[in-house]
Amino acid sequence: MNDILFGNNNGAVIKKLSGRYFKASKSRNIIAIIAIVLTTILFTTIFTLGSGLMDTVHDQNIRKAGGDGQAVLNYISDEVYNDIAGSSLIDRIAYTKAVSYRLQNPGLERWRSDLWYMDDTALEFARYTPTTGRRPEAEHEIIADTKTLDALGVPAQIGETVSLTYEVKGKLYTTDFTLCGFWETDSLSNIGRLVVSKAFVDAHSDILTYTYPVDNDYSGVVSAYVMFRGNGDIEAQLHQLLSETGYTCDTMGGSKENGNYVIARVSPAYQSGALINGQSCHADFRPCWRRVDCRNRVFDYLQHFPDFCHSGYSVLWTAENAGDNQTADQASNQPAGAPPFLDWYSHRPADWIFDWPGLGSVPDERNELYRRRRC
């Protein structure tokens, strides 16, 4: 360092003084350096783990919901689907159609399974894309998860015959399908899926008619799962989509009495601020009443994270009324089944602590049935 006034170079002196000062306080300086390094590592670890935790929680919520998609339209007809599918607001949309919620095969008493048609996007969203084999194409081809095949007594091998007896609109049908693909059952799944081809649905369009508003029968109902373009408030985008296509939902002030009413919700895995402000990722998507649990605070996840990762998730409609879903559901004004992506609900003991006060928001006559179904 050159002194401007006298031209002295005092760099060597400063270096020497600095070295002596460091040696004089060697222990303190080493501790300070170690503290700085450890603090840096600590904060890096916290932010890394925090980011990983949020990603894991989001993925767990998607799996519990049964699949991806920012918004869902439930129990709609093909006409409604066609009206919304072409909107410029939509980036991707998944199409599913229920064939039967009532399979009568032995072995399915304790492992509930449903029969659906799903397009390629729906299979991807639901993570049902076959890991072995391919998606069904011919009329009598079918794919299924491995646990369902095991319950049916069918070996998980391509070309095996899957004989199903199922109810549609009050009538029993028996069809022999050929297994063309399968995937491993998700560890969080408490329900099975069998997926038929588009050719099968087209060939049986006469019985898979949309009659849900009249008889609450789920055979023939369509569910659409939407990913919007860009970012922003998902609920606002959903409202804009419905408004532009001439429909309304309960969060827009609509009701069942409206001729253009549809059941539409933001997916629980995409509830805004779910992890930060206490909003839940476990919304109830049933049309007759709505409740939101407030247990997704960061502290709750940290406290119960191991349990969260390893616990099972039970279907809303349990084995207790599996044999007579329709009777029990009519008594409580609840649907006989849930859409394919929305069948899971946590049944950890800790949930009762968080959920019990919330039962006060449910009409009294439904509390007992709700508690019984959650057990």
Side-chain angles (χ1 to χ4, degrees):
M1 177 178 178
N2 295 322
D3 186 276
I4 297 176
L5 182 61
F6 300 105
N8 296 327
N9 185 352
N10 55 7
V13 175
I14 293 175
K15 184 176 181 180
K16 186 174 183 179
L17 290 174
S18 299
R20 287 180 177 178
Y21 179 80
F22 181 82
K23 291 178 181 179
S25 305
K26 185 175 182 179
S27 298
R28 184 180 64 182
N29 291 331
I30 291 176
I31 292 173
I33 293 173
I34 293 174
I36 293 172
V37 172
L38 291 178
T39 302
T40 303
I41 294 173
L42 174 64
F43 277 100
T44 301
T45 302
I46 289 175
F47 283 109
T48 301
L49 290 177
S51 175
L53 174 62
M54 295 185 70
D55 290 342
T56 300
V57 168
H58 181 66
D59 182 72
Q60 293 281 344
N61 286 331
I62 290 175
R63 291 171 62 193
K64 286 187 299 175
D68 212 344
Q70 294 172 325
V72 55
L73 286 79
N74 293 331
Y75 318 120
I76 62 176
S77 64
D78 282 296
E79 179 184 359
V80 175
Y81 176 86
N82 292 332
D83 287 342
I84 67 169
S87 172
S88 59
L89 297 171
I90 296 175
D91 181 36
R92 303 182 70 191
I93 185 169
Y95 174 95
T96 71
K97 174 173 281 191
V99 176
S100 177
Y101 272 90
R102 297 180 177 88
L103 301 183
Q104 307 296 329
N105 291 67
L108 298 182
E109 300 87 354
R110 293 186 175 274
W111 177 248
R112 177 191 157 191
S113 299
D114 299 334
L115 191 61
W116 283 80
Y117 163 71
M118 298 181 179
D119 67 8
D120 290 346
T121 304
L123 291 175
E124 178 186 339
F125 281 7
R127 305 183 184 186
Y128 291 164
T129 303
T131 54
T132 301
R134 55 175 175 80
R135 62 181 180 83
E137 296 176 352
E139 179 180 343
H140 290 143
E141 289 183 333
I142 197 170
I143 59 175
D145 65 280
T146 52
K147 192 168 182 178
T148 298
L149 293 175
D150 184 62
L152 290 169
V154 177
Q157 296 179 3
I158 302 299
E160 290 289 334
T161 298
V162 181
S163 182
L164 295 179
T165 300
Y166 51 95
E167 180 182 329
V168 176
K169 312 293 184 184
K171 295 183 179 180
L172 287 179
Y173 299 85
T174 299
T175 304
D176 289 336
F177 294 94
T178 299
L179 185 67
C180 64
F182 55 88
W183 67 94
E184 292 293 329
T185 307
D186 193 303
S187 60
L188 293 183
S189 175
N190 274 3
I191 193 168
R193 288 281 178 253
L194 297 116
V195 182
V196 298
S197 65
K198 180 68 163 57
F200 179 88
V201 172
D202 291 342
H204 297 83
S205 59
D206 55 329
I207 62 173
L208 295 176
T209 55
Y210 179 72
T211 60
Y212 175 75
V214 177
D215 55 14
N216 285 339
D217 193 297
Y218 287 83
S219 296
V221 301
V222 173
S223 294
Y225 301 86
V226 177
M227 294 293 286
F228 292 103
R229 296 183 185 277
N231 301 318
D233 185 348
I234 297 175
E235 187 169 55
Q237 291 178 300
L238 176 60
H239 290 176
Q240 182 180 353
L241 171 66
L242 295 178
S243 178
E244 290 181 358
T245 52
Y247 295 99
T248 186
C249 65
D250 56 353
T251 55
M252 296 173 64
S255 66
K256 292 181 180 180
E257 286 69 31
N258 301 122
N260 62 343
Y261 174 81
V262 295
I263 300 166
R265 297 284 190 277
V266 175
S267 169
Y270 288 89
Q271 293 279 338
S272 61
L275 190 61
I276 303 302
N277 62 13
Q279 282 275 338
S280 170
C281 290
H282 299 281
D284 189 333
F285 277 66
R286 289 173 290 174
C288 50
W289 52 278
R290 181 186 180 192
R291 60 188 300 276
V292 176
D293 303 328
C294 296
R295 63 172 174 277
N296 281 5
R297 297 179 294 255
V298 173
F299 175 77
D300 297 336
Y301 274 116
L302 294 176
Q303 183 179 6
H304 300 289
F305 185 68
D307 177 46
F308 174 80
C309 289
H310 298 291
S311 63
Y313 292 85
S314 60
V315 179
L316 277 169
W317 320 116
T318 61
E320 176 188 349
N321 61 357
D324 191 15
N325 274 343
Q326 192 166 8
T327 302
D329 295 328
Q330 287 175 349
S332 61
N333 194 29
Q334 307 297 327
F341 293 178
L342 301 167
D343 283 341
W344 323 116
Y345 210 91
S346 170
H347 67 119
R348 296 170 294 149
D351 292 343
W352 283 100
I353 299 174
F354 295 120
D355 287 348
W356 190 262
L359 288 174
S361 63
V362 182
D364 292 339
E365 63 272 15
R366 295 177 184 163
N367 281 0
E368 183 58 32
L369 181 63
Y370 184 69
R371 292 191 187 101
R372 180 159 49 85
R373 282 179 171 167
R374 288 292 305 278
C375 291

